[in-house]
Amino acid sequence: MAFQEILERIGGMGRYQIIHVILLSLPVFMLASHNLMQNFTAAIPKHRCKLNESWEEGNFTGPWLHAHIPLDSNGKLSSCSRYTKLQLNLLNYSLTSNTSDLQTEICADGYKYDDSEFSSTIINQWDLVCNQRKMRQLAQSIYMAGVLVGSIIFGGLSDKFGRRPLYIWSNLQMFVTGICAAFAPNYIAYCVFRFLTGSALSGIVLNSYSLIVEWIPTETRALTSTATGYCYTFGQLVLVGLAFLIEDWRMLQLAASLPFFVYFLYAWWLPESSRWLVLGGKYEQAIKDLKKVARINGRMEEGEKLTVETIKYEMQREINASRGSSYSVLDLIRTPVVRRISFCMCCTWFSISFAYYGLAMDLQKFGLSIYIVQIIFGTVDIPAKFFSYFVMTHMGRRVLQVASLILAGIAILVNVFVPEEFQTVRTAMAVFGKGCLAASFSCVYLYTGELYPTVIRQSGMGLGTMMARLGGIVAPLVQMTADFYIHLPLIIYSLCPILSGITSCFLPETLGVPLPETIQEVESPTYRKKVSKYKEEISLKDGI
């Protein structure tokens, strides 16, 4: 309770905290643009083989095409093959025409693209269609691999060197590599820079959430976490607007990267987490930052009372517990309670991201304009996150986590039994499932930060986001299982959140409980009794 009491004395949720949350939330608007950008920069335009120049008219309709291009299994003109010889007898083509004996070949002269909807994407830039179509999914998986690597690197480094320096560096890296990706000369260079962009995104997410949580009073953590989540929601709508106005994929990539230079500049003003400074023995800097916050909050007198001696006295138990201890990622599995938390959170993070990106990264499969589908998918997050805030505040984090995961899995599973022709129903169920996953995402960042103690909080967040990115890497690859059974991807996407929802039942509730500072505190029976006491008080209050 010591640091929590210090925060309350210097203003609680005061003027500084409001500014702090706003500045840390602004980059989140553009994170959605990078995560979901390939829905637009890698959209697949209508395409076909290039023909002899004397026949090439640049369009995709007309009976003359039947003399050049065969039909695919769906009865449509093939996108990836052509006749080896001109078939003038097929100019008067009818459905009864026999073309099975005619020889075909791959598009040896390249492809012709319909630029009426997507004038410039990485698909027509580097011909990522037909036998190269898997390169599209590979590019997204490489980006997610970068986010995974960033989770591993930045999670551990932030606990060792602090949240602030890694946050500043991540914004600069996001700016530089994002611009480099926009001007990538080839596919390989594009993937390399997208990988580095993904790793920088992890650094921003991890450190911004920790800086928010560690400077915010207990009773307002759910509100600020939800507000930050809304920034990501509206960021999805910002992406739609940018993609609609900017048709060229390079300019879209550039527009989503330039703002991070501004974020990099003002990040120098943000102070380090005083919790981390105190537990790291950097008392003078912690006092300086606390006095700065007190001055901004209009509590200068309370700030002047803070000295190294008072900080050491009030946080003596936490300091003694962390002194002489060296923490690493192994501490996430070393002790029984933290090990159980780590296992459950790994399942939760993986399943949320796995199902979320399984739904959100292939908008063209719904048969509607991807701009409309993206707006629907983004808009559903608004009521979902409002509902999640209500449940987190009044019923608890665990209830929301369990319910949202299981409902999301059921919604996805229902589409296995809905016929293909009922596209409206299928889209509605997918949107509902995506809304449940958005609510779960909104909760899991806050819940993870509350479950882990300060000394390994960044490592815990890093482990969680690492599993989430692993889910994001695997999600596109699961689509390939449709070759064995058409509904197998949906079954896999649905079972993961259902099972992880059941696993979340074994997590402790953190509603109204102060942030733990040390591993010993989490493992102690006293802390678990404290959690139970808070739960009983909340239940009694709700009953009254």
Side-chain angles (χ1 to χ4, degrees), residues 71 103 112 123 187 431 453 495 516:
L71 300 181
Q103 291 185 347
K112 186 70 177 179
I123 303 301
Y187 174 78
V431 169
L495 289 181

Side-chain angles (χ1 to χ4, degrees), residues 1-13 17 215 217 274-275 278 286-287 289-291 293-294 297 299 302-303 305-316 318-319 517:
M1 289 292 288
F3 192 81
Q4 179 67 26
E5 292 170 353
I6 294 173
L7 275 183
E8 293 294 343
R9 290 205 302 269
I10 62 173
M13 190 63 186
Q17 275 74 14
W215 272 110
S274 285
R275 288 178 183 268
V278 170
I287 296 296
D289 290 343
L290 288 169
K291 287 183 177 181
V293 172
N297 286 343
R299 298 287 186 89
E302 290 293 335
K305 296 177 182 178
L306 294 175
T307 63
V308 174
E309 289 71 24
T310 59
I311 291 290
K312 287 184 176 180
Y313 177 76
E314 296 192 26
M315 297 186 67
Q316 183 177 7
E318 293 88 346
I319 294 171
E517 304 291 349

Side-chain angles (χ1 to χ4, degrees), residues 283-433:
Y283 304 110
E284 295 293 341
Q285 185 61 46
I287 296 296
K288 182 179 177 181
D289 290 343
L290 288 169
K291 287 183 177 181
K292 174 183 175 181
V293 172
R295 184 175 65 255
I296 296 175
N297 286 343
R299 298 287 186 89
M300 188 176 297
E301 293 183 1
E302 290 293 335
E304 292 301 323
K305 296 177 182 178
L306 294 175
T307 63
V308 174
E309 289 71 24
T310 59
I311 291 290
K312 287 184 176 180
Y313 177 76
E314 296 192 26
M315 297 186 67
Q316 183 177 7
R317 180 171 57 86
E318 293 88 346
I319 294 171
N320 290 338
S322 62
R323 182 175 296 164
S325 299
S326 178
Y327 298 98
S328 67
V329 292
L330 292 178
D331 289 292
L332 297 173
I333 58 173
R334 200 185 303 276
T335 54
V337 176
V338 175
R339 182 165 56 244
R340 185 176 74 245
I341 290 172
S342 296
F343 173 77
C344 293
M345 295 314 296
C346 281
C347 295
T348 300
W349 279 92
F350 177 88
S351 298
I352 296 173
S353 180
F354 176 71
Y356 184 93
Y357 288 107
L359 291 175
M361 283 308 301
D362 193 11
L363 301 185
Q364 287 183 288
K365 67 184 177 184
F366 293 101
L368 301 172
S369 167
I370 61 173
Y371 301 98
I372 295 175
V373 177
Q374 184 63 68
I375 290 173
I376 295 173
F377 268 38
T379 304
V380 72
D381 287 7
I382 298 175
K385 289 180 178 178
F386 176 80
F387 177 77
S388 71
Y389 168 69
F390 176 82
V391 175
M392 280 193 293
T393 305
H394 295 89
M395 300 178 67
R397 284 62 156 150
R398 183 174 59 183
V399 173
L400 175 63
Q401 201 70 77
V402 172
S404 59
L405 283 169
I406 293 177
L407 287 175
I410 293 173
I412 298 171
L413 188 61
V414 166
N415 273 346
V416 174
F417 307 99
V418 178
E420 290 286 341
E421 55 268 22
F422 293 98
Q423 279 295 336
T424 303
V425 178
R426 294 177 64 85
T427 303
M429 295 308 301
V431 169
F432 177 75

Side-chain angles (χ1 to χ4, degrees), residues 65-353:
L65 283 173
H66 291 289
H68 298 271
I69 300 176
L71 300 181
D72 60 19
S73 58
N74 296 319
K76 298 180 180 179
L77 290 171
S78 174
S79 299
C80 301
S81 62
R82 66 184 184 182
Y83 291 123
T84 55
K85 296 180 180 180
L86 182 64
Q87 305 295 326
L88 294 177
N89 59 308
L90 294 178
L91 286 176
N92 296 320
Y93 173 82
S94 69
L95 292 176
T96 59
S97 300
N98 183 16
T99 61
S100 58
D101 296 331
L102 300 178
Q103 291 185 347
T104 61
E105 62 181 0
I106 60 172
C107 302
D109 298 322
Y111 302 89
K112 186 70 177 179
Y113 296 93
D114 182 0
D115 60 0
S116 60
E117 185 176 6
F118 306 109
S119 61
S120 174
T121 69
I122 66 170
I123 303 301
N124 54 27
Q125 178 83 51
W126 296 305
D127 286 337
L128 305 182
V129 292
C130 299
N131 59 342
Q132 296 293 318
R133 65 185 183 277
K134 293 182 180 179
M135 295 297 102
R136 175 180 183 262
Q137 295 173 331
L138 180 62
Q140 181 64 19
S141 291
I142 289 174
Y143 168 77
M144 285 297 178
V147 184
L148 169 62
V149 172
S151 300
I152 299 171
I153 294 174
F154 287 110
L157 291 180
S158 297
D159 278 334
K160 186 174 182 179
F161 298 106
R163 286 69 161 125
R164 179 176 175 269
L166 273 298
Y167 179 76
I168 294 172
W169 171 261
S170 297
N171 278 288
L172 178 61
Q173 181 178 326
M174 195 81 171
F175 166 70
V176 174
T177 58
I179 291 178
C180 290
F183 295 102
N186 52 56
Y187 174 78
I188 294 176
Y190 171 79
C191 289
V192 169
F193 289 122
R194 283 284 287 169
F195 176 90
L196 295 174
T197 301
S199 64
L201 180 138
S202 279
I204 294 173
V205 170
L206 287 172
N207 292 288
S208 61
Y209 271 92
S210 287
L211 284 170
I212 288 174
V213 167
E214 294 179 0
W215 272 110
I216 297 300
T218 301
E219 64 274 8
T220 57
R221 290 202 304 257
L223 176 62
T224 53
S225 178
T226 303
T228 305
Y230 269 120
C231 292
Y232 187 89
T233 296
F234 289 112
Q236 297 178 61
L237 305 181
V238 170
L239 171 62
V240 177
L242 288 175
F244 185 78
L245 295 173
I246 306 173
E247 295 185 356
D248 186 270
W249 75 268
R250 293 185 184 275
M251 293 300 102
L252 179 57
Q253 174 78 35
L254 185 64
S257 303
L258 288 175
F260 285 92
F261 183 69
V262 178
Y263 307 146
F264 161 73
L265 291 179
Y266 74 62
W268 290 91
W269 178 83
L270 298 170
E272 180 59 86
S273 165
S274 285
R275 288 178 183 268
W276 179 84
L277 288 171
V278 170
L279 294 180
K282 302 178 181 181
Y283 304 110
E284 295 293 341
Q285 185 61 46
I287 296 296
K288 182 179 177 181
D289 290 343
L290 288 169
K291 287 183 177 181
K292 174 183 175 181
V293 172
R295 184 175 65 255
I296 296 175
N297 286 343
R299 298 287 186 89
M300 188 176 297
E301 293 183 1
E302 290 293 335
E304 292 301 323
K305 296 177 182 178
L306 294 175
T307 63
V308 174
E309 289 71 24
T310 59
I311 291 290
K312 287 184 176 180
Y313 177 76
E314 296 192 26
M315 297 186 67
Q316 183 177 7
R317 180 171 57 86
E318 293 88 346
I319 294 171
N320 290 338
S322 62
R323 182 175 296 164
S325 299
S326 178
Y327 298 98
S328 67
V329 292
L330 292 178
D331 289 292
L332 297 173
I333 58 173
R334 200 185 303 276
T335 54
V337 176
V338 175
R339 182 165 56 244
R340 185 176 74 245
I341 290 172
S342 296
F343 173 77
C344 293
M345 295 314 296
C346 281
C347 295
T348 300
W349 279 92
F350 177 88
S351 298
I352 296 173
S353 180

